[in-house]
Amino acid sequence: MKRGLAGFQPMLLRNAFRWGKRALKHIHSRIFPVPLSAEQAAFVERNLAFWNGECGAVDKAGSGYVFVRVEGHPVLFLSDASFATIAGRAKGLRPLFVTSGFKNSVSTMILESYPGAAFVYLRSLRWLGMRLIAVLQAVRLYRSIQSPRDLLNLQVDGIRFGDVIYDAVLAEGYATISTIDYRTFIVLQRFYFLRSFIRYVIKRYNLQAAVFAHTVGLQSAVFGRYLLQAGIEVINRIGSHQILLKKYQGLADVGTYALKPEPRYLALMLERDDGTILRKAEEYLERRFSQQVRHLAVDAAFDPSKRIYDDRRSFCQDYCLDPEKPIAFVMLHVFNDYPHSHFAKPMIFQDYYDWFIRTLELAGEVKSANWIFKEHPAADHYITRDVDLKRVFQEVKYNNVRFLDRQADFNARSIPHLAQAILTCVGTAGLEYSTLGIPCILGGESGYDGLGFTIEPKDEGEYAARLRRIDSLERLSGQQIRAAKVVAYFFFCVMESAVYHFCPRFTDTEICEWNGECERRLWMEAARRLADEDSMRLMKTQIEELSGFLIDSSWTQYVDLRQFPHFGNGKAKCATGRGQSK
């Protein structure tokens, strides 16, 4: 495949400008350090007292470390730092904070309030040599990659990295990769620097564990996979004010979806359900479909100001479709939201955009059904530079295909009244509507596949065959609907409701639209909790509970069941080894 060279000169200039800006910022921060705010200073004082006095954290002389890459968002920053300290306390380790800050930056001053803290500064000028060598390494590898498929199949040091690098290109604002060009080169350069950096850290420090808020994204994936190759356990801490944990103990675990319930949890729910779980699942789903659940995508999808269609004929009349034909809803993804690196099993399509285009072509061929392509409700948060869906559909002339953009006067609560089938890859719509008996065809691995209620084609040929027979799909059985409801309850209620007492609660909208007032409230509330006896009691109890999980190597997924009395004592654990249920 011919590879575009346009963009290399501007790219080199941008890199030189970025490195120069970083050097100036480094010098400026040393001369004019930014002080802590009053709220941050109060947090630092109380955090020091809590960990050093109340909790008896690990001695600073400990020789081992728990590696933690503290993220940029303040909510993740606070949650990662506190949880890494809990992990260090449980395992007798010091937290090694890998930060983009500087020695006298605000972030470093806050992190110093955690006992035994050690630091590695990712943006330090000491890594300049590594960055220059990374450019040369990237040039050599870039020349060997001829196509997007070559990129997806890429391995380095015996570790799969093609998925990570491909997704990192998309994360810069692209829906797909059609040509290997300067965008790939930029990511390869970053990859090689991160590779050299983490290999140095592994060699330099006695790492015994690692904590990440994400296992996708270039930094987290590169760090995490090299740590696993070195035999260092990686703990994926999911959520902000929630606490969900997944352990990865080897490279074989890479791609195990952290939010997917392990088999023993599902077995526990099915064994102990006396009808309570089904009732609670139905109550929750009703609230979700009625927009009574605070979530960015839910708010947009089930906007009560938009029209609800309760019969197929009126919908087809408004959209000039044949009302005698069944309707299939294609729930589009945000194209650049890491289509490959969440899961172990390769997609049967090149990416989400390729899945969309192939599905659109098949929809035009299969005239026996109406096809509604629905834009993701949060698509405005994931803008792509190379694809405009409205323009794509302006060129579509199929009389049985329609596009609903996110502004359309259409409430997703209409779908149960209209849909013969749902098509998606990983979207929660496939789970939501399975609970109502609507069959779902998946275009890839998801957080709820393999559980008995979804249709999972093995390749593009089988996918196409399923779509050609979509008008004959039958509704799910009662047993499948029950399984979907149990999974939905676990997915949306149990896992989302586990409160992390070290982080104040913020809504998804507040986190996405973060501002100075949110920042002030975060540190003020975090400091208040560290001075409140009831809050500190909850924190100490949670430390002990999480410590039990952290030191038990057979316990690989932590879900707090204590608030759900119908699970018995609430301390059931799912003991698995290397991703397989025991």
Short mmCIF file of all heavy atoms in Angstrom, two decimals, residues 289 291 299-320 329 374 404-418 433:
data_model
loop_
_atom_site.label_atom_id
_atom_site.label_comp_id
_atom_site.label_asym_id
_atom_site.label_seq_id
_atom_site.Cartn_x
_atom_site.Cartn_y
_atom_site.Cartn_z
N PHE A 289 -34.10 3.61 31.11
CA PHE A 289 -34.84 3.97 29.90
C PHE A 289 -35.66 5.25 30.09
O PHE A 289 -36.06 5.88 29.12
CB PHE A 289 -35.77 2.83 29.48
CG PHE A 289 -35.03 1.58 29.04
CD1 PHE A 289 -35.57 0.32 29.27
CD2 PHE A 289 -33.81 1.66 28.41
CE1 PHE A 289 -34.91 -0.83 28.86
CE2 PHE A 289 -33.13 0.52 28.00
CZ PHE A 289 -33.68 -0.73 28.23
N GLN A 291 -34.47 7.89 31.70
CA GLN A 291 -33.45 8.93 31.92
C GLN A 291 -33.41 9.35 33.39
O GLN A 291 -33.17 10.50 33.71
CB GLN A 291 -33.69 10.15 31.03
CG GLN A 291 -32.41 10.95 30.76
CD GLN A 291 -32.69 12.37 30.34
OE1 GLN A 291 -33.66 12.99 30.74
NE2 GLN A 291 -31.81 12.91 29.50
N ASP A 299 -28.20 10.16 29.34
CA ASP A 299 -28.92 11.43 29.27
C ASP A 299 -29.26 11.79 27.83
O ASP A 299 -30.36 12.28 27.53
CB ASP A 299 -28.07 12.55 29.88
CG ASP A 299 -27.97 12.45 31.39
OD1 ASP A 299 -28.74 11.68 31.98
OD2 ASP A 299 -27.11 13.14 31.97
N ALA A 300 -28.30 11.56 26.93
CA ALA A 300 -28.52 11.93 25.53
C ALA A 300 -29.43 10.93 24.81
O ALA A 300 -30.31 11.32 24.04
CB ALA A 300 -27.18 12.01 24.81
N ALA A 301 -29.25 9.64 25.08
CA ALA A 301 -30.01 8.61 24.36
C ALA A 301 -31.49 8.64 24.73
O ALA A 301 -32.36 8.45 23.87
CB ALA A 301 -29.42 7.24 24.64
N PHE A 302 -31.78 8.85 26.02
CA PHE A 302 -33.16 8.77 26.50
C PHE A 302 -33.69 10.15 26.91
O PHE A 302 -34.44 10.28 27.88
CB PHE A 302 -33.25 7.79 27.67
CG PHE A 302 -32.82 6.39 27.30
CD1 PHE A 302 -31.58 5.91 27.67
CD2 PHE A 302 -33.64 5.57 26.55
CE1 PHE A 302 -31.16 4.64 27.33
CE2 PHE A 302 -33.25 4.29 26.20
CZ PHE A 302 -32.01 3.82 26.58
N ASP A 303 -33.31 11.16 26.16
CA ASP A 303 -33.74 12.53 26.42
C ASP A 303 -35.27 12.61 26.36
O ASP A 303 -35.88 12.37 25.31
CB ASP A 303 -33.12 13.44 25.36
CG ASP A 303 -33.42 14.91 25.59
OD1 ASP A 303 -34.32 15.23 26.39
OD2 ASP A 303 -32.74 15.75 24.96
N PRO A 304 -35.93 12.94 27.48
CA PRO A 304 -37.40 12.94 27.50
C PRO A 304 -38.03 14.01 26.62
O PRO A 304 -39.24 13.94 26.33
CB PRO A 304 -37.73 13.18 28.98
CG PRO A 304 -36.52 13.85 29.55
CD PRO A 304 -35.35 13.29 28.79
N SER A 305 -37.24 14.99 26.18
CA SER A 305 -37.80 16.01 25.29
C SER A 305 -37.94 15.51 23.86
O SER A 305 -38.57 16.18 23.02
CB SER A 305 -36.93 17.26 25.32
OG SER A 305 -35.67 17.02 24.69
N LYS A 306 -37.36 14.34 23.57
CA LYS A 306 -37.42 13.80 22.21
C LYS A 306 -38.55 12.80 22.06
O LYS A 306 -39.03 12.21 23.04
CB LYS A 306 -36.07 13.16 21.85
CG LYS A 306 -34.94 14.19 21.77
CD LYS A 306 -33.65 13.59 21.27
CE LYS A 306 -32.58 14.68 21.12
NZ LYS A 306 -31.32 14.12 20.58
N ARG A 307 -38.95 12.58 20.84
CA ARG A 307 -40.15 11.79 20.56
C ARG A 307 -39.93 10.30 20.81
O ARG A 307 -38.89 9.74 20.48
CB ARG A 307 -40.57 11.99 19.10
CG ARG A 307 -41.82 11.19 18.74
CD ARG A 307 -42.37 11.52 17.39
NE ARG A 307 -43.53 10.69 17.09
CZ ARG A 307 -44.25 10.76 15.98
NH1 ARG A 307 -43.92 11.66 15.06
NH2 ARG A 307 -45.28 9.96 15.78
N ILE A 308 -40.95 9.68 21.40
CA ILE A 308 -40.98 8.23 21.58
C ILE A 308 -41.99 7.65 20.60
O ILE A 308 -43.17 8.03 20.60
CB ILE A 308 -41.37 7.85 23.02
CG1 ILE A 308 -40.33 8.37 24.02
CG2 ILE A 308 -41.51 6.33 23.15
CD1 ILE A 308 -40.70 8.15 25.47
N TYR A 309 -41.53 6.74 19.75
CA TYR A 309 -42.42 6.02 18.83
C TYR A 309 -42.83 4.71 19.49
O TYR A 309 -41.97 3.92 19.91
CB TYR A 309 -41.70 5.72 17.51
CG TYR A 309 -41.43 6.94 16.66
CD1 TYR A 309 -40.25 7.67 16.80
CD2 TYR A 309 -42.35 7.35 15.70
CE1 TYR A 309 -40.00 8.78 16.01
CE2 TYR A 309 -42.11 8.46 14.90
CZ TYR A 309 -40.93 9.17 15.07
OH TYR A 309 -40.69 10.27 14.28
N ASP A 310 -44.13 4.46 19.56
CA ASP A 310 -44.57 3.21 20.18
C ASP A 310 -45.17 2.24 19.17
O ASP A 310 -45.74 1.22 19.54
CB ASP A 310 -45.56 3.48 21.31
CG ASP A 310 -46.77 4.27 20.86
OD1 ASP A 310 -46.94 4.46 19.63
OD2 ASP A 310 -47.55 4.71 21.73
N ASP A 311 -45.03 2.57 17.86
CA ASP A 311 -45.45 1.61 16.84
C ASP A 311 -44.61 1.82 15.59
O ASP A 311 -44.16 2.93 15.30
CB ASP A 311 -46.94 1.75 16.52
CG ASP A 311 -47.25 3.03 15.77
OD1 ASP A 311 -47.29 4.10 16.41
OD2 ASP A 311 -47.41 2.97 14.54
N ARG A 312 -44.40 0.74 14.87
CA ARG A 312 -43.53 0.76 13.70
C ARG A 312 -44.11 1.58 12.56
O ARG A 312 -43.37 2.26 11.83
CB ARG A 312 -43.27 -0.68 13.24
CG ARG A 312 -42.21 -0.79 12.15
CD ARG A 312 -41.74 -2.21 11.99
NE ARG A 312 -42.77 -3.07 11.44
CZ ARG A 312 -42.70 -4.40 11.39
NH1 ARG A 312 -41.65 -5.01 11.91
NH2 ARG A 312 -43.67 -5.12 10.87
N ARG A 313 -45.42 1.55 12.40
CA ARG A 313 -46.04 2.22 11.25
C ARG A 313 -45.80 3.73 11.29
O ARG A 313 -45.44 4.34 10.27
CB ARG A 313 -47.53 1.91 11.21
CG ARG A 313 -48.23 2.42 9.96
CD ARG A 313 -49.58 1.76 9.78
NE ARG A 313 -49.45 0.33 9.55
CZ ARG A 313 -49.19 -0.21 8.35
NH1 ARG A 313 -49.03 0.57 7.29
NH2 ARG A 313 -49.10 -1.51 8.23
N SER A 314 -45.98 4.36 12.45
CA SER A 314 -45.79 5.82 12.51
C SER A 314 -44.33 6.19 12.29
O SER A 314 -44.02 7.20 11.64
CB SER A 314 -46.29 6.35 13.85
OG SER A 314 -45.58 5.76 14.93
N PHE A 315 -43.41 5.38 12.80
CA PHE A 315 -42.00 5.65 12.58
C PHE A 315 -41.67 5.54 11.09
O PHE A 315 -41.00 6.42 10.52
CB PHE A 315 -41.14 4.67 13.39
CG PHE A 315 -39.67 4.79 13.13
CD1 PHE A 315 -38.92 5.79 13.74
CD2 PHE A 315 -39.02 3.91 12.27
CE1 PHE A 315 -37.55 5.91 13.50
CE2 PHE A 315 -37.66 4.02 12.02
CZ PHE A 315 -36.93 5.02 12.63
N CYS A 316 -42.13 4.47 10.46
CA CYS A 316 -41.83 4.27 9.04
C CYS A 316 -42.46 5.37 8.19
O CYS A 316 -41.88 5.79 7.18
CB CYS A 316 -42.33 2.90 8.60
SG CYS A 316 -41.35 1.53 9.27
N GLN A 317 -43.62 5.83 8.59
CA GLN A 317 -44.26 6.91 7.85
C GLN A 317 -43.42 8.18 7.92
O GLN A 317 -43.21 8.86 6.91
CB GLN A 317 -45.65 7.17 8.41
CG GLN A 317 -46.41 8.27 7.68
CD GLN A 317 -47.83 8.45 8.23
OE1 GLN A 317 -48.34 7.59 8.94
NE2 GLN A 317 -48.44 9.57 7.92
N ASP A 318 -42.91 8.50 9.11
CA ASP A 318 -42.11 9.72 9.27
C ASP A 318 -40.78 9.63 8.53
O ASP A 318 -40.25 10.66 8.08
CB ASP A 318 -41.83 9.97 10.76
CG ASP A 318 -43.03 10.56 11.48
OD1 ASP A 318 -44.06 10.82 10.81
OD2 ASP A 318 -42.95 10.76 12.71
N TYR A 319 -40.24 8.43 8.39
CA TYR A 319 -38.93 8.27 7.76
C TYR A 319 -39.01 7.63 6.36
O TYR A 319 -37.99 7.20 5.82
CB TYR A 319 -38.00 7.47 8.67
CG TYR A 319 -37.53 8.28 9.86
CD1 TYR A 319 -38.26 8.29 11.05
CD2 TYR A 319 -36.40 9.07 9.78
CE1 TYR A 319 -37.85 9.05 12.14
CE2 TYR A 319 -35.97 9.84 10.85
CZ TYR A 319 -36.71 9.83 12.03
OH TYR A 319 -36.30 10.60 13.11
N CYS A 320 -40.23 7.60 5.81
CA CYS A 320 -40.44 7.13 4.44
C CYS A 320 -39.88 5.73 4.23
O CYS A 320 -39.10 5.47 3.29
CB CYS A 320 -39.83 8.10 3.43
SG CYS A 320 -40.50 9.77 3.55
N PHE A 329 -31.62 -2.03 14.00
CA PHE A 329 -30.92 -0.83 14.47
C PHE A 329 -29.42 -1.13 14.57
O PHE A 329 -29.01 -2.05 15.27
CB PHE A 329 -31.45 -0.39 15.83
CG PHE A 329 -32.68 0.46 15.74
CD1 PHE A 329 -33.93 -0.12 15.57
CD2 PHE A 329 -32.60 1.85 15.81
CE1 PHE A 329 -35.07 0.66 15.48
CE2 PHE A 329 -33.74 2.64 15.71
CZ PHE A 329 -34.98 2.04 15.55
N LYS A 374 -27.80 4.50 13.90
CA LYS A 374 -27.97 5.50 14.96
C LYS A 374 -26.61 5.94 15.48
O LYS A 374 -25.82 5.13 15.96
CB LYS A 374 -28.81 4.93 16.10
CG LYS A 374 -29.19 5.95 17.16
CD LYS A 374 -30.13 5.36 18.19
CE LYS A 374 -30.56 6.42 19.19
NZ LYS A 374 -29.43 7.05 19.91
N LEU A 404 -29.87 8.31 11.88
CA LEU A 404 -30.32 9.16 12.98
C LEU A 404 -29.09 9.74 13.66
O LEU A 404 -28.34 9.01 14.33
CB LEU A 404 -31.13 8.35 14.00
CG LEU A 404 -32.44 7.72 13.52
CD1 LEU A 404 -33.07 6.90 14.64
CD2 LEU A 404 -33.41 8.78 13.04
N ASP A 405 -28.85 11.03 13.45
CA ASP A 405 -27.71 11.63 14.15
C ASP A 405 -28.10 11.90 15.60
O ASP A 405 -29.24 11.71 16.01
CB ASP A 405 -27.20 12.88 13.43
CG ASP A 405 -28.21 14.03 13.43
OD1 ASP A 405 -29.07 14.08 14.33
OD2 ASP A 405 -28.14 14.88 12.53
N ARG A 406 -27.14 12.36 16.39
CA ARG A 406 -27.39 12.50 17.83
C ARG A 406 -28.37 13.62 18.15
O ARG A 406 -28.89 13.68 19.26
CB ARG A 406 -26.08 12.70 18.58
CG ARG A 406 -25.26 13.90 18.16
CD ARG A 406 -23.91 13.91 18.87
NE ARG A 406 -23.08 15.04 18.50
CZ ARG A 406 -22.28 15.07 17.44
NH1 ARG A 406 -22.21 14.01 16.64
NH2 ARG A 406 -21.55 16.13 17.17
N GLN A 407 -28.63 14.52 17.18
CA GLN A 407 -29.62 15.58 17.40
C GLN A 407 -31.02 15.19 16.94
O GLN A 407 -31.98 15.95 17.12
CB GLN A 407 -29.21 16.86 16.66
CG GLN A 407 -28.11 17.67 17.35
CD GLN A 407 -26.73 17.21 16.96
OE1 GLN A 407 -26.52 16.77 15.83
NE2 GLN A 407 -25.79 17.31 17.87
N ALA A 408 -31.17 14.02 16.35
CA ALA A 408 -32.47 13.61 15.80
C ALA A 408 -33.54 13.60 16.89
O ALA A 408 -33.26 13.29 18.06
CB ALA A 408 -32.35 12.24 15.16
N ASP A 409 -34.76 13.91 16.49
CA ASP A 409 -35.89 13.90 17.43
C ASP A 409 -36.35 12.46 17.63
O ASP A 409 -37.40 12.04 17.14
CB ASP A 409 -37.03 14.77 16.88
CG ASP A 409 -38.17 14.92 17.87
OD1 ASP A 409 -37.95 14.66 19.08
OD2 ASP A 409 -39.29 15.28 17.44
N PHE A 410 -35.53 11.72 18.35
CA PHE A 410 -35.78 10.29 18.53
C PHE A 410 -35.25 9.86 19.89
O PHE A 410 -34.06 9.96 20.17
CB PHE A 410 -35.07 9.49 17.43
CG PHE A 410 -35.28 8.00 17.52
CD1 PHE A 410 -36.38 7.40 16.94
CD2 PHE A 410 -34.36 7.20 18.20
CE1 PHE A 410 -36.57 6.03 17.02
CE2 PHE A 410 -34.54 5.83 18.30
CZ PHE A 410 -35.65 5.24 17.71
N ASN A 411 -36.16 9.41 20.74
CA ASN A 411 -35.79 8.88 22.05
C ASN A 411 -35.54 7.39 21.91
O ASN A 411 -36.37 6.66 21.35
CB ASN A 411 -36.94 9.15 23.04
CG ASN A 411 -36.57 8.80 24.47
OD1 ASN A 411 -35.99 7.75 24.74
ND2 ASN A 411 -36.94 9.67 25.40
N ALA A 412 -34.39 6.92 22.41
CA ALA A 412 -34.03 5.50 22.26
C ALA A 412 -35.01 4.57 22.96
O ALA A 412 -34.97 3.36 22.74
CB ALA A 412 -32.62 5.27 22.77
N ARG A 413 -35.89 5.12 23.78
CA ARG A 413 -36.94 4.30 24.40
C ARG A 413 -37.89 3.75 23.33
O ARG A 413 -38.66 2.81 23.59
CB ARG A 413 -37.70 5.12 25.43
CG ARG A 413 -38.54 4.28 26.38
CD ARG A 413 -39.26 5.14 27.40
NE ARG A 413 -40.12 4.31 28.24
CZ ARG A 413 -39.77 3.84 29.43
NH1 ARG A 413 -38.58 4.12 29.92
NH2 ARG A 413 -40.60 3.09 30.14
N SER A 414 -37.83 4.32 22.14
CA SER A 414 -38.66 3.83 21.02
C SER A 414 -38.21 2.46 20.53
O SER A 414 -39.01 1.70 19.97
CB SER A 414 -38.57 4.81 19.84
OG SER A 414 -38.85 6.13 20.22
N ILE A 415 -36.94 2.15 20.70
CA ILE A 415 -36.35 0.97 20.06
C ILE A 415 -37.07 -0.33 20.42
O ILE A 415 -37.31 -1.16 19.53
CB ILE A 415 -34.83 0.90 20.36
CG1 ILE A 415 -34.13 2.07 19.63
CG2 ILE A 415 -34.24 -0.43 19.92
CD1 ILE A 415 -32.65 2.20 19.92
N PRO A 416 -37.46 -0.57 21.68
CA PRO A 416 -38.18 -1.82 21.98
C PRO A 416 -39.46 -2.00 21.17
O PRO A 416 -39.89 -3.13 20.93
CB PRO A 416 -38.47 -1.71 23.48
CG PRO A 416 -37.43 -0.78 24.00
CD PRO A 416 -37.19 0.20 22.91
N HIS A 417 -40.08 -0.89 20.76
CA HIS A 417 -41.32 -0.97 19.99
C HIS A 417 -41.06 -1.18 18.50
O HIS A 417 -41.99 -1.49 17.75
CB HIS A 417 -42.13 0.32 20.17
CG HIS A 417 -42.43 0.65 21.59
ND1 HIS A 417 -43.29 -0.08 22.37
CD2 HIS A 417 -41.96 1.65 22.39
CE1 HIS A 417 -43.36 0.44 23.58
NE2 HIS A 417 -42.56 1.50 23.63
N LEU A 418 -39.81 -1.00 18.07
CA LEU A 418 -39.52 -0.97 16.64
C LEU A 418 -38.58 -2.08 16.17
O LEU A 418 -38.69 -2.54 15.03
CB LEU A 418 -38.89 0.38 16.27
CG LEU A 418 -39.64 1.65 16.68
CD1 LEU A 418 -38.80 2.88 16.31
CD2 LEU A 418 -41.00 1.72 16.01
N TYR A 433 -30.96 -3.99 25.32
CA TYR A 433 -32.14 -4.45 24.59
C TYR A 433 -32.27 -5.97 24.58
O TYR A 433 -33.36 -6.50 24.32
CB TYR A 433 -32.14 -3.86 23.18
CG TYR A 433 -32.27 -2.35 23.23
CD1 TYR A 433 -31.20 -1.53 22.90
CD2 TYR A 433 -33.44 -1.75 23.68
CE1 TYR A 433 -31.30 -0.15 23.00
CE2 TYR A 433 -33.55 -0.37 23.77
CZ TYR A 433 -32.48 0.42 23.44
OH TYR A 433 -32.59 1.79 23.54
#
